[in-house]
Amino acid sequence: MNAVNLLDFDLDGLAAYCEQLGEKRFRATQLFRWIHQKGATSFDEMSDLAKSLRAKLQGTAHISGLPVISEHVSADGTIKWLFDVGGGNAVESVFIPEDDRGTLCVSSQAGCAVGCRFCSTGHQGFSRNLSTGEILAQLWFAEHSLRKRFNTSERIISNVVMMGMGEPLQNYSALVPALKAMLDDHGYGLSRRRVTVSTSGVVPMIERLQRDCPVALAVSLHAPTDPLRDELVPINRKYPIDELLSACQAYLTAAPRDFITFEYCMLDGVNDTDAHADALVALVKGRIHCKFNLIPFNPFPQSGLKRSGMARVQAFARRLADAGIVTTVRKTRGDDIDAACGQLAGEVQDRTNAPSRMLRQPVMIKLAPSDTFTPPDRSGR
Ligand code: SF4
């Protein structure tokens, strides 16, 4: 029997595994805490587990993270890791520290099949889905290596965003147990509002996520009309905007106080005019509780696209805000370590001679904190 990597389980999965070994659920809970809360890598250090159980685990299981290819630390504190996932592929995680939070951006696939026009990963193709263990290993490694770095036993990562490489909802069966481990009080104990899944709009899976694990949802919108979105986000041809927005509305019925975050990559002359802003307002106003994140595009050679000027971005943001929609414009972080995605791909090619499958367009990864445009107060005035 092949040894099992215990990072591949949420708590229910680990309990089922322990049951196969003839052990009760509370043993799984102990084990889960050792792995995720204490960062244990060997069974010997799990001092409150019976010796007999430790002996059983030695022969059948292991706790194995991903090999780290590189680590870069920015002057602003942003840290970027590149992990080897085998077969010449690597995925990236980025830690973004801020005054009141520590956010980890996590990858879900090596490459991506969606093929968004403004995304370098989309241009480079799809290699494979990550396993639950490979998704969780990014958080497990980041959390425990940061604790050592900062010499603390306190939790460092307060927020996780599934916004690295890949479309998380096209890797649903691996994603959900990973999310559950992030939320589990015996795991990372993150609140569901602090775990965000970002999707290009895989409508049936949005519906399933609401039932299975309703964390915060971000949607890569990028266009207000179907013809334009068909071009920029090809999955729109299968799940057009109206269907997508209906799925977003339904998602919020489980938690009406929540909102959807719409990501909008600002592309010069393509989707950034006042008319586009007005069309966005008409789409969402009165229909969906939402906010917009406007994201400066990081150009890469094959895209044929240009970044909108900052004055245009600000004017666009102001137009949305004037219509009552909270809007943020993201600022870059980690510039000095090339935390933008396409920049990292070349580095990996040099090391592994692998095809450039790494790293999606920089959406969200290196961008924070934000300028926020708050809608004007129109109450009674
Ligand atoms: S933006 Fe996201 S969904 Fe689109 S190609 Fe890039 S990684 Fe895939």
Side-chain angles (χ1 to χ4, degrees):
M1 190 169 78
N2 285 339
V4 170
N5 187 358
L6 299 188
L7 286 181
D8 269 316
F9 294 127
D10 61 9
L11 183 52
D12 284 344
L14 193 58
Y17 176 72
C18 284
E19 201 176 317
Q20 283 173 27
L21 299 179
E23 298 287 341
K24 297 226 158 46
R25 186 180 173 98
F26 82 93
R27 291 293 182 204
T29 304
Q30 283 178 307
L31 196 47
F32 202 68
R33 282 201 195 122
W34 272 107
I35 296 168
H36 294 289
Q37 295 189 343
K38 298 181 185 165
T41 54
S42 80
F43 302 119
D44 289 338
E45 60 193 289
M46 301 180 179
S47 48
D48 59 353
L49 285 194
K51 279 201 175 137
S52 57
L53 172 56
R54 282 190 260 163
K56 275 189 225 171
L57 290 169
Q58 297 285 11
T60 58
H62 58 100
I63 305 159
S64 301
L66 293 169
V68 179
I69 296 173
S70 65
E71 174 185 277
H72 292 94
V73 183
S74 162
D76 69 15
T78 301
I79 303 176
K80 175 187 71 177
W81 294 281
L82 192 66
F83 296 102
D84 188 351
V85 292
N89 294 301
V91 298
E92 179 194 62
S93 308
V94 179
F95 172 66
I96 304 157
E98 293 174 75
D99 289 346
D100 59 343
R101 70 180 75 178
T103 301
L104 187 73
C105 179
V106 171
S107 295
S108 57
Q109 298 178 311
C112 183
V114 176
C116 299
R117 201 174 137 204
F118 50 85
C119 172
S120 59
T121 298
H123 278 254
Q124 289 153 4
F126 174 69
S127 183
R128 70 169 176 85
N129 283 327
L130 300 188
S131 65
T132 297
E134 289 169 329
I135 296 170
L136 272 180
Q138 298 169 63
L139 174 58
W140 179 74
F141 171 83
E143 175 65 37
H144 296 291
S145 71
L146 288 168
R147 284 189 201 176
K148 282 195 192 107
R149 181 187 298 261
F150 298 121
N151 195 22
T152 178
S153 56
E154 299 291 311
R155 186 168 78 183
I156 303 266
I157 293 169
S158 60
N159 296 60
V160 171
V161 291
M162 297 301 307
M163 294 180 185
M165 195 170 172
E167 164 51 70
L169 294 187
Q170 286 189 337
N171 186 14
Y172 192 81
S173 59
L175 173 73
V176 168
L179 296 176
K180 287 185 173 169
M182 293 173 196
L183 303 182
D184 200 304
D185 284 343
H186 302 294
Y188 297 88
L190 300 176
S191 102
R192 65 179 192 82
R193 287 189 175 81
R194 290 175 175 265
V195 176
T196 301
V197 167
S198 173
T199 180
S200 57
V202 189
V203 165
M205 294 300 152
I206 293 175
E207 290 161 3
R208 278 186 65 183
L209 189 67
Q210 184 205 18
R211 287 197 301 272
D212 294 341
C213 195
V215 295
L217 188 68
V219 171
S220 296
L221 192 58
H222 308 304
T225 63
D226 282 323
L228 181 55
R229 195 164 189 270
D230 285 351
E231 258 185 62
L232 296 176
V233 187
I235 202 168
N236 194 70
R237 293 174 204 147
K238 194 163 182 190
Y239 306 114
I241 290 174
D242 191 55
E243 263 184 55
L244 174 59
L245 296 189
S246 295
C248 291
Q249 275 179 292
Y251 196 85
L252 292 180
T253 57
R257 281 171 55 234
D258 280 354
F259 56 85
I260 304 286
T261 301
F262 288 117
E263 297 164 18
Y264 199 91
C265 187
M266 295 292 289
L267 304 168
D268 183 38
V270 174
N271 66 354
D272 67 347
T273 66
D274 285 351
H276 290 118
D278 293 344
L280 286 177
V281 172
L283 265 187
V284 302
K285 193 87 196 282
R287 180 172 181 183
I288 297 178
H289 191 206
C290 65
K291 71 176 195 182
F292 272 78
N293 278 329
L294 305 184
I295 301 162
F297 172 57
N298 271 10
F300 60 99
Q302 310 92 316
S303 72
L305 298 164
K306 286 191 285 187
R307 177 188 287 199
S308 305
M310 198 34 81
R312 177 86 298 263
V313 175
Q314 304 270 347
F316 196 95
R318 178 54 60 201
R319 210 160 175 97
L320 294 179
D322 284 348
I325 298 170
V326 173
T327 304
T328 56
V329 178
R330 291 184 172 240
K331 291 179 178 171
T332 59
R333 292 283 300 269
D335 280 343
D336 54 329
I337 57 166
D338 291 346
C341 308
Q343 295 162 336
L344 202 56
E347 183 186 321
V348 177
Q349 274 189 307
D350 289 347
R351 277 189 66 111
T352 65
N353 207 24
S356 296
R357 292 187 185 282
M358 324 312 158
L359 310 177
R360 60 183 283 187
Q361 196 269 343
V363 177
M364 309 295 283
I365 285 183
K366 66 168 192 162
L367 303 167
S370 305
D371 282 339
T372 301
F373 290 75
T374 309
D377 181 3
R378 301 187 195 284
S379 56
R381 272 177 270 168

